Amino acid sequence: EAEMAAPTMEERKACWGARDEFWQCMDRHADDASKCEKLRVSFESLCPQQWVKYFDKRRDFLKYKKKLETEGYHPPEAAGKS
């Protein structure tokens, strides 16, 4: 179907631009998605669904990696039960 077609260069650039703006917004607002809703909507409308899923996973991974780098690794068992 049409949505399986590979995005053109223009579409990819629009998608990446929307992603970057959304991510920057999330960074500024400590991941408060409600503050970045408009950017999220344009990110989702400009990027193929698969990409949105991939980028969401990627962002979680990058945040996790950054956390490990700044806080060091703590095995889950050692974490205090909340």
Side-chain angles (χ1 to χ4, degrees), residues 3-54:
E3 64 184 338
M4 289 310 289
T8 64
M9 194 60 204
E10 255 66 66
E11 288 168 336
R12 288 201 298 269
K13 280 187 178 147
C15 167
W16 292 332
R19 176 204 61 191
D20 292 347
E21 281 184 28
F22 173 61
W23 282 13
Q24 282 163 8
C25 177
M26 292 288 276
D27 288 343
R28 280 198 305 275
H29 295 290
D31 282 341
D32 181 351
S34 67
K35 297 242 186 342
C36 307
E37 223 163 304
K38 285 195 180 75
L39 294 171
R40 174 77 196 184
V41 169
S42 72
F43 166 51
E44 287 185 0
S45 68
L46 288 167
C47 298
Q49 187 63 48
Q50 286 304 106
W51 291 26
V52 171
K53 284 194 186 120
Y54 169 78

